[in-house]
Amino acid sequence: MSEYREFLSERDKIDFLLQKGFKIVRVTENLSGAFVLFKHSENKRSATLHVKTANARKYFSNLLIHS
């Protein structure tokens, strides 16, 4: 998969979780990307997303700053 398509896939996953009511609560960066922990505010479910592309990491960072 091209890097741009991978970015689009990761961006869509981030947007999907945010639209479902999840909030970003923790980000763990390492050499293979970032692990973003999402938690739902009402039912306390959680989801972890492995974000590999630099553009997707910039995308969720921008969302964190503007929220």
Side-chain angles (χ1 to χ4, degrees):
M1 184 184 309
S2 73
E3 186 170 339
Y4 181 69
R5 287 185 193 267
E6 190 172 354
F7 158 68
L8 292 178
S9 173
E10 291 176 345
R11 183 194 66 183
D12 291 345
K13 290 174 187 175
I14 292 167
D15 288 342
F16 176 78
L17 288 170
L18 293 174
Q19 288 172 358
K20 292 296 182 182
F22 285 83
K23 303 267 187 226
I24 298 173
V25 294
R26 184 177 17 175
V27 177
T28 306
E29 295 268 349
N30 60 28
L31 294 176
S32 65
F35 290 92
V36 184
L37 177 64
F38 294 85
K39 286 207 176 178
H40 199 277
S41 56
E42 294 175 5
N43 57 17
K44 305 300 180 201
R45 291 186 316 176
S46 65
T48 303
L49 184 61
H50 185 194
V51 179
K52 299 175 189 172
T53 63
N55 286 332
R57 288 183 290 180
K58 288 184 228 175
Y59 180 74
F60 79 74
S61 297
N62 192 21
L63 292 174
L64 280 173
I65 291 170
H66 292 293
S67 64

